[in-house]
Structures are given as C-alpha cells and as structure tokens.
Amino acid sequence: MVLQGGLLTRREEPVPLKSISVTLSIREFVAGVSATLNYKNEEDVPLETFFVFPMDDDSAVYSFEAELDGEKIKAQLKEKTKAHSIYESAISNRRQAFLLEEDKYSKDVFCCSVGNLNPGSNVAITLKYVQELPLEADRALRYVLPAVLNPRYRGSGSFEDSCLDMKTPVVPLEDVPYTLSMVATVTSQHGIERIQSNCPFSPTKYLGEDKTSAQVSLADGHKFDRDVELLIYYSEVHTPTVAVEMGQPGDNSDGFMKDPSAMVCFYPNIPEAQSPVISGEFIFLMDRSGSMQSPISKQDNSQLRIEAAKETLILLLKSLPMGCYFNIYGFGSSCEAFFPNSVKYTQQTMEEALRGVKLMQANLGGTEILTPLQIIYGKPPVEGHPLQLFVFTDGEVADTFNVINEVKRNRLRHRCFSFGIGEGASTSLIKGIARVAGGTSEFITGKDRMQSKALRALKYALQPAVEDVSVTWELPAKLSAKMLSPEQTVLYKGQRLIVYALLSGTMPPAEATGEVSLKYTFQGKSVDNRVTFSLQPKPDDNFTIHRLGAKSFLQAKDMGFRDTPANDKKDVLKVSIDCGVISSQTAFVAVSGNSNKPVQGPLVRRDIPRPVLVGAALAMPQSYASASAPLKLRCCGSVPPATQTVHYKGMSNQQDGCKPCGPMINKDLCALDTPPPKEGACCPAQSTTLETHCTVFGENHLVQLISLQNADGSWCLDENLAGILGKSLEDLQAAIPVKDASSLSWATVLAVVWLHSNAMQMKGEWELLEKKARDWIHIHAASIMQELVKAAIALTKSSVDPAIFAI
C-alpha cells in the first residue's frame, strides 16, 4: 500500500502522520497485508483531513477500521453515493467519521477522509487486503509495497472530483515527517530457498529447521524513494494446486459468501513451437514525456529511462522476423510516428528506424497516451498480420479507466504488451491494458533491465496462438462450479494461470474428490492438464479465496465509476458488498458511536505537502497541472537522409491528425545519417564508424554489435565489427578459413561466437536475434559452417561449444 500522499488536508498546513507499520504474511503465492497509519492532531482546533496513497491494482481491500482514543470503529462497505451521504451527515452533526474509496479515475489510488479529528486526538487507521503474487521469469514470487505516488498527467477534461490534486505542493524526500516499518513472514510447504529485496532488510530468519517459514524486517530509515520489493524463491518448482475454502452459509444465505470457493493454479507445459510466427504487425508505442529523462531508479548508476528505451527498441528491431510489418510511435503532449503507416520489415526500413531511435529524446511534454492509441487503432489493419502492440510508459496518467476502456474496445483485433518504467508507474494502467487485450505486463524498477523484459514479451508475441482454451470441472452429482474468473483465451509458455470458482450445491463426504481440467489446442495438437483435488473445504477467517475470487470478477467487470455499463454495474455492486471487497462503485464508511460528545469548535480543513521523487517533480510539465491542448500526430518518416524533405502523399488531409513534417533538422543527423540503401546492398548502414557507434552507445559493446546486425540476421565484415572483436579488419579477412567463403558468413559466425563468449548473462536480450543469425548461417553457409565455427573459436580464443550452431 503506502502512502506517498500521506494524510493530506485542503489548505497546505501539516497534520503529522507519525508512522506507518505494515505486517505482511505470504503463504505460497498469496499475500495478506495489514497496514496501520498512526496520526495525532497536535493543534487546538478540530480537523477534517484526507490522505492519498498508492495501492497495487491486484489488491483486494476488504477491511478498514479506525481506533480513535481507545474506541474501535469498524467501517461498513456501502454504495459509494450512500457512503458519501452518511459521511457528510456525520460531519455536519459534529460526529467523527471516516471514508475510504478508490479514486474515480484509477484503481491504484485510494483516498481516505478523516472528519472531526479532535485536538490532541490520536487515530490509528488500519487497512487490510489480500493479493496474488506474480511469478517472475526466474520463478521468483514478487511482492511490492507501493511507496511512490508520482504526479499524474491530467490530459483534457475535468478532474475536480479526483483525489489526485496536482496543485498539492511537494516536499523533498528527506522532509517526509513519518516513518515506515514492515515485518514479513513467509510460509511454504515447498521450503524457502531465499528472500531478496531492493531495500535494506534484516537477514532472513528461519522459524524452523525445515525452512518452511521465514521472517524478514525492513531496516529503519526508508526514504520513500522507491517501492519496497520482495522476491521470494521457494526450494521446489511450482506445481499445479487446488484449494477449497469454506463459505458462510448461515450469515450469507443468498450472497457471494454462502458457497465454498475454489482457487486453481495451473502451470501449462506448452511445448516449444515447431515453427515460430513470422507474420504480424508490431507497433512500439514509446513514452517520450519529460519524466522519461529521469533514472529508472534512485540507485547509483541507474540508466536513464529514455536511454534504456532506446536500447530496448534497437533490440526489438533487430529481433523482428523478416516479412513482418512494424512502426514506432513516440508520445508525450504530442505524438510522432516513424512512418505514416506500418511498413514491411526490410533492411532499408530497419535502418531508417534505427537512425530515428538513436535520435530519440524525452522531449514531448506530458504523458498523453489516449490519443496515440486512438490513432493506432484508427489505422487500417495489415491483412494476414495480426496487430501486436507494445506500450512503454512510466505510467503517470490520471484517467487510467479511459485508456483501459479504449484498449478493451479494440481487444479483438490485437494483443497488448505493457511495460511500467520506474518507481511509481501506475499498476492500474500497466496491468489493465494488458489484461483486457490478452497480453502481459512487466514493471522495470531498481536494477531491472527493460531490455530483457521487452524481449521476453516479444517471444510471447512470436509464439503461435494457443487456441480453444477451456476450463472444465468434473464434480460429484448435485455439485457444480460457477466460474468467477473471465473466460481465458490466451496462454503463454512459462506463465501461470489462476482461476476462481464458487462450488454450489451439496458438498459430498470428506473423502470425495473432484477434478479440474485445462484444455487447449497448440499447433493442431490437443493438450489436457488435469488436477485432482479434495472437496473438503478448509476454514479461513479472512476468506482469502472468496475475496481473491471476487477481485478477479471485479477486474473483468468494473470499468470505473463513470464508465461501467449498467448491467455490469449492478453485478459489481452486489459482489463488492457481498464479499466486502471495495470497487469503484462502493466505499467504506465508519461513524463514531459516541454521539453524546459532539466535536466542539469550528471544523478546519488543512493540506500538507506531498512527498515526490525529485526527478518526477523536475520532469513534470505544466500540462500535469492543467488540461492539455489536443494532441496531434507528427509523422517523422523514421528520420530520413539529411538532404531529403519528408513528404507523405495526402498526409495533410488525414482525419486522424497526421501531417507532413517538412524538412528534418540536419545538424544532429549528420554524424549518423547514411544514404538510402541501394536495392540488393548487403550492408547499407556500415559506412558509419565505430567512433559513431561509441558516441551513441558509450562503451556498451553488446548494443554496438547488435546495432550492426542486418535485418536478415547476418553481419558484415568491416571496421565496426573488427573494433568490437578487438581485431584489425585485415586480420579478420586473412583468417577466413575457406577460400571464396562469403565475408557475411564469416562475420556472422564471429558475431555469434562473441555473443556466447562475452554476453551470456544477457542472453535473454539477444537470443531471438542470435537465432535469426544461426538460421541465416544454416541457409547460406551450411556446407562450410563447421570450418567457419572452428576457425572463429580459435581466432577469438573462445571456449564456446560448437554445438550452439547445431552442427
């Protein structure tokens, strides 16, 4: 949870928040969190205050209570308008009251109002929530306690009823007046291998010899400069499981909580594709707002977000398959497209895009993402090439519901893969757009590399589609399963699938079992993953599975306070109130029962400054504080040669706002620019020197090498490659082991050997383009490949196994 906004008031005077204490309990892959905020009114007047804090989009908030001067007040979940009415009535009658609600524009921002806080009063406010933990690529479970809430771009429209008041002053992190403590207990029957964090923590303390339970504590002095992240590694590989939880038949005779609930966790064993996808339209939508000039994290030597983005785009461009279509859009307060429409991936178009990427800057103003999405969706589809959209943003957007709904409206024509960059990226936006469009979401913080996570998503996009996905249940007579999770249509290799259901009817004897099956078709073959489980439900005082199941249902139906369709709104309201999990349509409200002692004196409202990361504050353009002008798309034509004027036929009449750029600024292009490649030329970009590549990429030889690769997967034998290999061009030419062998074949083998010798720790970033290179070698140099590989290994004094070439 926590609480970048802290306890805020409406006039900029402080109401000290003394401390935040968090108790975290992780069992297998589910987290239960209790966070208590301790405040004291040290003034001589009663106050009405509110606090604003970030919350992970997947969190199911089910409890809100206040302890006020010894009195415990437990809140009730009500329809939002009614909750506001109860709160306002209590305040006007001088009673102490509390209100908790989601922001109307984003699920990952919460507001809490505290009314009639007496002089000298102490109040402890406790929130409780449960959450599934995502599974990382290295099989770690990831828990994040959000501690950063950056200013968010408003765009056009009115946001007066949002708790994200952008005019609230900010303070340096060192002036934050409250502290954060956290104790985490982890339990798993599989055994706990290790626990890691991006923040200083106590050493892991195992609570038993079998290492099935462990505890860690956050060190004192957290600076609120980063989210608190835990990575939990269990000793055994994750296996399919089913858990059944007892319901509340007596207290909830006709509601959501009456029946037992089931949580099923699958790990589909999808085989390697026999033939990878080579078609597709790949659109890369890159945030170029001012905040992208900030470092990814506050850690030393953290890469700037825009620089990581440029490297990532180069890797993606080099990894695309020949014959696909692609385009790159940059967005901020304005939008630029490399091409007026998606273009076929060839040597020429790749090189044009590469020149544009090298010149990209974080100079387009605020984070206005909705209009670029509308422009992309307004383009005609490329027949036979399904759209795959990759969105990279620091997520500083206020109206996330509007963006998510736009993606959802176009979900049938594309998949969306999203990436949240840096601390404080909106989990509602990043997870939401991927969830509604059948993609995946990733967050890049701390020492994470955007490059590896983006390439992993590209692998998913290049997988052949998993079809005919279904979940079926085999249960005893008079017992049926009602699915709570939305129908699953997309599966990816290496990912986990969790589904929830209510079990209605007559529960059988304790020894009875049921079976649940995940079925799908992959490359013409039918696959059936089955799990048998006990039908004996287990009690849980917190009703964790019921509430996670309700959250899964709400995520699919709840599209915001304003935009949820009427039929869905009715379902959202009923499930939210039945299970006690907050939604956009509900709010928690509590009123003190001590009506005999009304608050005395005039009620005063106050504001305290909101702490914010310095980089985010410095990068925040004026448009973050006021509605922006309509966004226009500027088609850059992917940075053409310096002497060429960009003109797209008919572009000035485009209805989507596209217009021709006119001449590009030549001065910055000269060092990188090359003439347009001639038809059939093998290496059009290689006239650029290694000095130029070093200017662009610094000492990153891996990115230098990758930037030299041709679209078809080959490399050219030239001074640039020689410099990276630490050899002279003459020495490389003299070492060609086979007479009349193509210099392209020799160079490509050398480049692949270098990758395996010098960059294995980053294999996830280059394995797609390396496979493209190996495929090229097998097509063009199969008869001499063994000699080339042997000579390359000897020349570079490498210990690489020749088997990597599948000789």
Side-chain angles (χ1 to χ4, degrees):
M1 253 203 42
V2 188
L3 305 160
Q4 179 62 9
L7 188 60
L8 304 183
T9 60
R10 303 179 189 268
R11 293 191 183 176
E12 304 181 10
E13 293 87 356
V15 176
L17 167 62
K18 298 301 184 183
S19 64
I20 303 166
S21 58
V22 177
T23 301
L24 168 65
S25 176
I26 296 175
R27 292 182 178 273
E28 306 301 348
F29 54 85
V30 174
V33 184
S34 175
T36 300
L37 302 94
N38 298 292
Y39 299 97
K40 183 174 183 179
N41 180 5
E42 296 179 327
E43 302 192 40
D44 57 3
V45 292
L47 302 174
E48 181 182 24
T49 65
F50 71 94
F51 64 88
V52 179
F53 56 91
M55 179 78 74
D56 192 286
D57 178 72
D58 289 331
S59 302
V61 180
Y62 68 89
S63 177
F64 173 58
E65 61 183 25
E67 185 170 352
L68 180 65
D69 298 328
E71 178 191 7
K72 281 194 174 182
I73 310 169
K74 187 168 181 62
Q76 292 183 310
L77 192 62
K78 301 285 186 181
E79 188 274 328
K80 182 172 282 188
T81 304
K82 185 175 182 180
H84 274 270
S85 177
I86 293 171
Y87 174 81
E88 295 295 342
S89 176
I91 296 302
S92 63
N93 289 315
R94 296 183 174 275
R95 298 178 66 184
Q96 294 165 325
F98 308 87
L99 181 74
L100 177 71
E101 61 183 326
E102 281 185 4
D103 184 66
K104 290 185 177 180
Y105 299 93
S106 189
K107 288 183 181 179
D108 61 347
V109 177
F110 275 61
C111 310
C112 177
S113 302
V114 179
N116 283 324
L117 186 60
N118 269 322
S121 287
N122 294 281
V123 60
I125 299 172
T126 300
L127 310 172
K128 294 181 181 179
Y129 65 91
V130 290
Q131 176 187 350
E132 293 173 10
L133 298 185
L135 186 66
E136 298 290 289
D138 62 356
R139 315 310 280 174
L141 291 169
R142 181 174 181 260
Y143 170 75
V144 176
L145 181 73
V148 176
L149 179 58
N150 291 325
R152 294 192 179 180
Y153 182 79
R154 292 187 175 195
S156 57
S158 173
F159 288 81
E160 292 179 0
D161 53 350
S162 171
C163 65
L164 285 168
D165 182 0
M166 302 305 170
K167 296 181 180 179
T168 302
V170 299
V171 294
L173 297 175
E174 58 268 20
D175 293 338
V176 177
Y178 45 84
T179 61
L180 172 66
S181 62
M182 185 173 84
V183 177
T185 304
V186 181
T187 304
S188 172
Q189 62 179 338
H190 302 296
I192 301 161
E193 183 180 299
R194 66 186 187 276
I195 301 172
Q196 296 178 347
S197 178
N198 65 331
C199 298
F201 262 77
S202 65
T204 301
K205 178 183 178 182
Y206 289 101
L207 305 181
E209 294 183 1
D210 57 1
K211 293 189 175 182
T212 58
S213 184
Q215 193 172 82
V216 293
S217 300
L218 180 67
D220 294 339
H222 182 71
K223 300 298 183 183
F224 290 87
D225 59 344
R226 68 192 73 172
D227 297 334
V228 180
E229 178 184 280
L230 289 178
L231 294 175
I232 299 101
Y233 295 84
Y234 293 145
S235 300
E236 295 183 17
V237 176
H238 301 277
T239 55
T241 57
V242 181
V244 181
E245 180 180 271
M246 192 177 294
Q248 283 182 301
D251 298 335
N252 207 297
S253 59
D254 62 348
F256 186 92
M257 304 292 286
K258 172 175 69 73
D259 294 319
S261 61
M263 177 173 63
V264 185
C265 181
F266 289 109
Y267 296 88
N269 186 22
I270 301 174
E272 291 288 344
Q274 296 300 314
S275 54
V277 173
I278 59 172
S279 62
E281 180 188 8
F282 297 88
I283 301 292
F284 305 109
L285 180 58
M286 182 62 70
D287 192 339
R288 289 177 53 191
S289 62
S291 53
M292 287 289 289
Q293 191 61 33
S294 304
I296 287 178
S297 77
K298 299 291 289 183
Q299 298 181 20
D300 293 340
N301 302 317
S302 179
Q303 193 173 23
L304 293 181
R305 298 174 186 181
I306 190 64
E307 294 304 319
K310 290 163 68 172
E311 286 188 14
T312 299
L313 283 174
I314 291 170
L315 287 165
L316 289 167
L317 284 171
K318 296 294 184 174
S319 301
L320 291 176
M322 293 292 287
C324 72
Y325 285 73
F326 79 101
N327 204 351
I328 299 173
Y329 291 77
F331 72 93
S333 299
S334 59
C335 178
E336 295 182 355
F338 277 33
F339 304 93
N341 291 294
S342 293
V343 295
K344 193 170 185 178
Y345 180 72
T346 64
Q347 182 67 29
Q348 179 175 349
T349 56
M350 183 202 72
E351 287 298 339
E352 289 179 2
L354 188 64
R355 291 196 294 273
V357 168
K358 291 173 183 176
L359 295 177
M360 278 177 47
Q361 298 180 36
N363 59 354
L364 294 185
T367 311
E368 174 59 76
I369 190 174
L370 180 60
T371 302
L373 287 171
Q374 292 169 335
I375 292 171
I376 291 168
Y377 295 142
K379 297 289 185 180
V382 182
E383 186 174 353
H385 292 267
L387 175 61
Q388 313 269 19
L389 176 62
F390 291 69
V391 179
F392 299 84
T393 178
D394 56 19
E396 296 174 1
V397 178
D399 191 355
T400 64
F401 281 124
N402 208 7
V403 177
I404 294 168
N405 283 329
E406 180 65 27
V407 176
K408 186 177 182 179
R409 280 190 288 269
N410 293 275
R411 67 189 182 280
L412 297 180
R413 60 168 295 197
H414 82 303
R415 291 190 292 186
C416 179
F417 300 87
S418 57
F419 305 85
I421 305 168
E423 308 291 349
S426 169
T427 59
S428 178
L429 176 70
I430 303 304
K431 293 183 179 182
I433 61 176
R435 182 168 52 242
V436 299
T440 61
S441 59
E442 297 276 6
F443 290 86
I444 298 101
T445 60
K447 295 181 180 179
D448 291 341
R449 284 182 60 80
M450 186 190 310
Q451 297 88 326
S452 60
K453 295 193 173 187
L455 268 294
R456 183 160 66 243
L458 181 59
K459 292 175 195 173
Y460 292 149
L462 292 172
Q463 287 180 11
V466 174
E467 301 173 323
D468 305 322
V469 181
S470 65
V471 176
T472 58
W473 300 76
E474 293 184 13
L475 301 171
K478 298 182 180 181
L479 188 65
S480 62
K482 178 184 178 182
M483 292 292 290
L484 298 173
S485 302
E487 180 181 357
Q488 192 71 27
T489 58
V490 179
L491 294 174
Y492 296 106
K493 181 177 175 60
Q495 286 208 316
R496 179 186 64 192
L497 172 65
I498 298 177
V499 295
Y500 297 91
L502 292 178
L503 302 181
S504 303
T506 304
M507 293 300 291
E511 64 275 7
T513 61
E515 189 172 72
V516 60
S517 176
L518 171 66
K519 299 178 182 179
Y520 56 89
T521 302
F522 183 72
Q523 294 193 308
K525 296 182 179 179
S526 296
V527 182
D528 190 349
N529 296 163
R530 294 175 174 267
V531 183
T532 301
F533 62 97
S534 169
L535 282 169
Q536 181 63 32
K538 295 182 179 180
D540 180 351
D541 292 341
N542 293 324
F543 295 96
T544 300
I545 295 177
H546 280 81
R547 282 163 173 150
L548 288 174
K551 183 66 176 181
S552 178
F553 177 89
L554 293 172
Q555 282 181 323
K557 296 278 189 179
D558 190 357
M559 289 294 111
F561 183 75
R562 303 162 302 161
D563 299 326
T564 302
N567 289 341
D568 288 343
K569 186 176 292 188
K570 181 179 179 181
D571 292 339
V572 166
L573 188 59
K574 176 173 173 50
V575 170
S576 177
I577 291 177
D578 280 353
C579 69
V581 172
I582 201 169
S583 70
S584 70
Q585 308 299 320
T586 54
F588 281 106
V589 63
V591 178
S592 172
N594 194 351
S595 59
N596 296 325
K597 293 182 179 180
V599 175
Q600 300 299 314
L603 184 65
V604 177
R605 300 189 177 195
R606 303 222 180 273
D607 277 340
I608 62 171
R610 177 160 59 92
V612 68
L613 293 176
V614 172
L618 292 176
M620 185 178 69
Q622 181 64 31
S623 51
Y624 274 65
S626 61
S628 67
L631 181 147
K632 297 292 186 182
L633 174 65
R634 181 171 181 261
C635 295
C636 298
S638 71
V639 189
T643 58
Q644 182 181 345
T645 298
V646 182
H647 178 73
Y648 296 117
K649 188 174 181 180
M651 287 297 291
S652 59
N653 296 320
Q654 292 288 325
Q655 294 181 355
D656 61 10
C658 287
K659 59 182 180 181
C661 295
M664 297 296 298
I665 298 173
N666 298 342
K667 181 169 58 177
D668 296 331
L669 263 174
C670 295
L672 292 172
D673 200 23
T674 59
K678 296 180 180 179
E679 187 70 29
C682 72
C683 299
Q686 307 311 326
S687 61
T688 53
T689 64
L690 182 62
E691 182 180 355
T692 298
H693 281 281
C694 289
T695 300
V696 177
F697 302 119
E699 294 301 316
N700 191 334
H701 286 178
L702 173 61
V703 181
Q704 292 173 24
L705 178 71
I706 290 171
S707 69
L708 296 173
Q709 189 185 30
N710 296 317
D712 61 8
S714 65
W715 271 268
C716 291
L717 191 62
D718 62 8
E719 295 283 1
N720 295 326
L721 180 64
I724 293 169
L725 298 177
K727 307 287 184 182
S728 70
L729 179 58
E730 292 74 15
D731 287 343
L732 294 184
Q733 291 170 332
I736 298 176
V738 180
K739 185 179 180 181
D740 299 326
S742 163
S743 62
L744 284 173
S745 302
W746 175 232
T748 305
V749 169
L750 285 168
V752 172
V753 168
W754 188 96
L755 287 171
H756 283 270
S757 300
N758 297 277
M760 280 302 294
Q761 71 275 18
M762 295 181 182
K763 183 178 179 181
E765 299 178 16
W766 52 255
E767 59 182 332
L768 282 178
L769 62 90
E770 183 264 359
K771 183 181 184 304
K772 194 159 66 166
R774 286 189 288 110
D775 289 344
W776 185 94
I777 294 168
H778 277 270
I779 293 171
H780 294 90
S783 62
I784 59 172
M785 181 169 55
Q786 189 167 355
E787 290 88 343
L788 293 175
V789 171
K790 182 178 179 181
I793 291 174
L795 179 66
T796 59
K797 299 180 181 179
S798 169
S799 58
V800 168
D801 185 350
I804 63 171
F805 289 87
I807 296 175

